[in-house]
């Protein structure tokens, strides 16, 4: 079935300026993009049109790192140092997801808020709980959100959330087997981070990843104390990334959140193995992790996308994460006296959309062959203009000022979800 | 007439932890606060109660630095360097306020958005236009917003907005005479900043300020290039603040926006003369001005309050400015390796409320004698909780996550405005 969307189409085709098609059309067939056209081709005449004339059609957002069970603690404990915050809030909160009813209620609301804000794909952490993880997958799929979901593994120093190594293995297998039924969401192995997993568990996860062809997500070089701790735990490894590499977890499509303090060698290891670095600007500032070298990494070839990292990040809407990314790139520019120039709106838009979408096999922009993931913005409620604005100006302004009220339609996986 | 507000009352009584009265009452008489009570005193029994039980009652916000005519360019041109941004957007935008109808439409919307977001008092810049300035004052007063409004003076290097010195003087007097009729808003002299005013104009403004007893607002030490420029223009002054001081503009209740790069001597001059420093965190990061030493200034006795500084700042809601202030204080903590610890939510709340309210003669918190300025937050829509939250936790979370939809009532100057 053919459908057409009409509006001002804004594509992140590269890490740079967005490509704009004014009053254009996106043609989809059974949800799959056929092309973007400034004039409607003859072949599509008479097909049904979703008319978003004078609205802005952006790509759907991909949130490539967030912790679903931390949704209840969003915006809380932000004055605490990282370790106190983890003990006072994080582990206690995550432990509550032993309760399936609470998980259902929370994850349904989370999924709705994601869609309301135009996030159509995620790479997301659950808790250690297999059942709650399956509930999270059900709720995401019900809302039409695609991506990868990980039952967290943590058998060391994990307070209320700790599993035994045997439990962790057993539950991981039970979970993987139960995932067959999902179509939009897939499992991803999720050793929380090196300090919370024994070597035995890490080794076993590497084997499972290989045997079952399942991707891996974890954390890397987020803050200096964590890096010191990892050094102590692994005198056998020169660098943090090697603690994953030695167990077969550092490879194509492995996701590493943060990488704030990764040096050039660690960055090169990402490039060499096609590891995705997920930059989480709001988390980095809230937890005082540092100013990630996003432009440097991106320009030298590291694959970088964006994540909200709730609840280290206190902002779920990716539009907020995008503008936070811009602001944090300016913090880095200030801290480096301009040696690392800040990111432009177009560049951060690319990180929030196409860079993440590539993880799911998409080509950049609204490329033919991609399933449609789109966000329609109505910017009429924004302040009065002194002159007619260009679409690029409207886009940049809408990125800064919009909230879910401006998001009047959301398409994910080719379907209209809002 | 006696009225009572019931709810969880959160007061910024000092630069520190907020004082919380759970299920308490604020009693007002003809809009003036009589007291805050955890139990309702006998004398008030039977008086009408605005029942905000289980809601959070915060103090109203004071936005102590913003540019009203830049409202149409909110969130625009944020990728441009400061001088290009000023030329491409700011001066062209402000020049449009020669059109009174446009001014009326824009300022009415601005005033509404301020109230919707709980900002009940402002110190605000208009443009050079006398009529548009009076329209701004009318619209603020109509919405119930109090504070100070300045017709901008700029007779040097000001592109589309430049006045002659004579025009600037003549229009300033015409404007001041026309301000008699306002009750909530008062005029404040507003030499834009040293580079845009001739010495003759500055001297004249200093005389008018003295003769008429009108306060002064301007900009100070926002970024390094500006400071260099001022040095060139004023080889007679060792420091930037002296370019105001030598013309009688540096004195009690003078407002200086930014002060990002003020050194200890300049800070001491603020303390000595009871000058208010307005910290504008979002503007500071958007324009890459730097990380202001807010804690240092506050703790050594500089009077610091908060401003949105639209449109250098891209966030009008003071709740967003407050959380941006927290994040920028963390940027400073990172940049100083922790030597300047970040601000707590309570501290930033104080800067956003009581510190600014003091400019209008208020005592800290919901003090008896203050007219009521209050914001009622309903946090029911926020994520599900894993356990009952304390009021302090709810307050901190609401500060991070609320928008105008959570603000269910606003009181300003003793009246209900929303």
């Amino acid at each position: 079935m053919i459908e057409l969307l009409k509006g001002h189409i804004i594509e992140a085709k590269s890490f740079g300026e967005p490509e704009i098609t004014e009053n254009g059309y996106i043609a989809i067939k059974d949800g799959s993009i056929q092309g973007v056209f400034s004039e409607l081709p003859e072949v599509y005449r008479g097909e049904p049109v979703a008319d978003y004339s004078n609205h802005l059609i952006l790509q759907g957002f991909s949130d490539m790192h967030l912790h679903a069970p931390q949704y209840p603690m969003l915006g809380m404990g932000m004055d605490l140092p990282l370790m106190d915050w983890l003990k006072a809030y994080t582990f206690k909160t995550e432990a509550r997801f032993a309760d399936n009813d609470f998980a259902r209620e929370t994850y349904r609301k989370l999924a709705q808020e994601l869609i309301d804000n135009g996030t159509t794909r995620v790479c997301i952490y659950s808790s250690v709980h297999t059942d709650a993880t399956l509930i999270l997958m059900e709720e995401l799929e019900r809302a039409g959100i695609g991506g990868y979901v990980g039952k967290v593994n943590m058998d060391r120093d994990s307070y209320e959330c700790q599993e035994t190594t045997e439990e962790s293995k057993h539950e991981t297998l039970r979970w993987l087997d139960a995932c067959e039924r999902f179509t939009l969401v897939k499992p991803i192995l999720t050793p929380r981070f090196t300090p919370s997993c024994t070597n035995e568990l890490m080794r076993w996860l590497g084997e499972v990843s290989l045997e079952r062809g399942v991707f891996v997500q974890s954390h890397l070089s987020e803050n200096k104390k964590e890096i010191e701790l990892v050094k102590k735990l692994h005198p056998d490894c020169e660098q943090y990334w090697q603690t994953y590499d030695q167990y077969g977890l550092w490879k194509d499509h492995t996701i590493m959140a943060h990488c704030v303090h990764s040096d050039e060698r660690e960055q090169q290891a990402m490039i060499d193995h096609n590891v995705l670095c997920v930059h989480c600007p709001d988390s980095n500032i809230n937890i005082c992790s540092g100013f990630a070298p996003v432009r440097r990494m991106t320009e030298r070839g590291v694959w970088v996308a964006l994540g909200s990292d709730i609840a280290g990040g206190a902002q779920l809407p990716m539009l907020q994460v995008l503008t936070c990314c811009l602001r944090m790139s300016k913090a880095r520019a200030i801290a480096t006296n301009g040696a690392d120039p800040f990111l432009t709106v177009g560049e951060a838009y690319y990180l929030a959309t196409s860079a993440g979408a590539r993880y799911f096999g998409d080509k950049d922009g609204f490329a033919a062959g991609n399933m449609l993931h789109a966000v329609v913005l109505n910017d009429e409620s924004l302040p009065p203009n002194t002159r007619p604005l260009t679409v690029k100006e409207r886009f940049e302004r809408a990125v800064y000022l919009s909230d879910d009220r401006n998001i009047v339609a959301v398409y994910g996986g080719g379907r209209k979800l809002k």
Side-chain angles (χ1 to χ4, degrees), chain A:
Chain A
M1 184 193 142
I2 301 284
E3 287 172 273
L4 300 159
L5 278 72
K6 185 179 181 190
H8 299 311
I9 299 159
I10 298 156
E11 294 179 85
K13 286 209 169 171
S14 64
F15 179 72
E17 287 298 286
E19 199 165 303
I20 294 173
T21 306
E22 295 191 26
N23 298 306
Y25 295 86
I26 305 174
I28 59 175
K29 183 178 178 182
D30 300 330
S32 172
I33 297 172
Q34 306 298 296
V36 172
F37 307 99
S38 52
E39 298 287 334
L40 190 63
E42 188 64 43
V43 62
Y44 296 123
R45 299 269 157 89
E47 299 291 355
V49 178
D51 192 349
Y52 301 116
S53 288
N54 208 29
H55 290 19
L56 307 171
I57 305 180
L58 278 63
Q59 292 174 227
F61 299 110
S62 293
D63 188 343
M64 301 304 285
H65 181 69
L66 72 165
H67 295 266
Q70 293 178 24
Y71 181 56
M73 49 182 279
L74 200 63
M76 286 172 66
M78 297 272 96
D79 290 349
L80 296 177
L82 177 59
M83 292 314 296
D84 293 347
W85 179 77
L86 284 170
K87 286 181 211 168
Y89 286 96
T90 312
F91 295 125
K92 284 187 169 59
T93 303
E94 293 199 8
R96 274 286 277 124
F97 287 80
D99 175 343
N100 291 346
D101 292 339
F102 181 76
R104 177 78 63 189
E105 177 202 4
T106 303
Y107 290 152
R108 185 163 294 183
K109 190 167 160 70
L110 171 63
Q112 188 59 51
E113 196 171 336
L114 285 165
I115 285 299
D116 285 345
N117 286 286
T119 301
T120 59
R121 284 178 289 198
V122 294
C123 288
I124 192 166
Y125 286 49
S126 174
S127 56
V128 292
H129 311 95
T130 299
D131 293 339
T133 304
L134 294 168
I135 288 168
L136 173 59
M137 295 172 88
E138 285 167 13
E139 291 301 325
L140 291 172
E141 195 149 296
R142 213 176 66 92
I145 298 168
Y148 292 88
V149 179
K151 172 220 166 321
V152 168
N153 297 97
M154 43 203 298
D155 67 340
R156 174 162 74 178
D157 290 342
S158 302
Y159 305 91
E160 289 87 344
C161 296
Q162 189 157 335
E163 315 162 294
T164 66
T165 307
E166 277 317 302
E167 273 170 359
S168 193
K169 291 179 182 178
H170 178 263
E171 288 300 301
T172 299
L173 293 177
R174 180 164 85 84
W175 165 61
L176 289 173
D177 290 340
C179 286
E180 300 289 332
R181 60 186 150 116
F182 297 109
T183 54
L184 292 178
V185 288
K186 300 286 172 195
I188 184 167
L189 294 176
T190 307
R192 191 178 194 109
F193 71 149
T194 295
S196 62
C197 296
T198 60
N199 297 348
E200 182 188 339
L201 181 58
M202 293 284 258
R203 183 176 298 111
W204 183 83
L205 287 168
E207 289 164 7
V208 172
S209 171
L210 185 68
E211 284 163 16
R212 300 215 179 195
V214 186
F215 294 147
V216 175
Q217 62 181 354
S218 195
H219 295 84
L220 184 73
S221 298
E222 179 174 1
N223 77 53
K224 290 177 183 171
K225 283 199 176 163
E226 168 211 16
I227 296 169
E228 277 169 33
L229 174 60
V230 170
K231 274 210 170 116
K232 266 191 211 157
L233 292 168
H234 279 277
D236 53 323
C237 292
E238 281 181 29
Q239 293 206 303
Y240 192 165
W241 67 278
Q242 295 168 317
T243 66
Y244 298 112
D245 187 46
Q246 68 180 343
Y247 300 119
L249 297 163
W250 185 268
K251 55 186 181 177
D252 181 45
H253 275 71
T254 288
I255 300 178
M256 286 288 150
H258 302 305
C259 314
V260 175
H261 300 284
S262 297
D263 66 6
E264 294 207 348
R265 185 176 162 202
E266 195 160 83
Q267 291 170 9
Q268 192 58 49
M270 294 179 215
I271 296 169
D272 294 342
H273 294 83
N274 201 34
V275 164
L276 172 65
C277 158
V278 184
H279 172 49
C280 304
D282 194 29
S283 171
N284 290 170
I285 190 69
N286 288 333
I287 312 182
C288 292
S289 301
F291 310 128
V294 179
R295 174 177 294 287
R296 265 174 204 269
M297 285 197 286
T298 303
E299 290 186 349
R300 73 187 297 238
V302 177
W303 180 13
V304 180
L306 283 190
S308 67
D309 191 24
I310 70 160
Q315 303 174 326
L316 189 67
M318 286 300 286
L319 279 170
Q320 290 180 14
V321 175
L322 198 170
T323 52
C324 190
C325 170
L326 291 167
R327 290 181 170 100
M328 286 311 106
S329 78
K330 289 178 177 180
R332 177 143 186 121
I334 294 169
T336 62
N337 275 316
D340 287 7
F342 59 76
L343 300 182
T344 64
V345 177
E347 288 167 341
Y349 175 55
Y350 179 81
L351 300 181
T353 56
S354 296
R358 194 177 128 196
Y359 195 84
F360 309 104
D362 280 9
K363 297 199 188 75
D364 290 348
F366 286 118
N370 293 351
M371 296 302 283
L372 181 67
H373 290 264
V375 170
V376 182
L377 283 181
N378 180 343
D379 61 355
E380 278 170 18
S381 69
L382 303 185
N385 305 320
T386 56
R387 57 174 170 77
L389 302 183
T390 64
V391 172
K392 178 164 181 262
E393 285 174 323
R394 287 175 56 192
F395 160 67
E396 294 187 359
R397 182 169 85 143
V399 162
Y400 271 98
L401 302 186
S402 295
D403 64 25
D404 56 301
R405 287 169 284 193
N406 301 97
I407 297 179
V408 294
V410 174
Y411 292 79
R415 289 194 298 133
K416 191 164 189 294
L417 303 176
K418 175 183 177 178

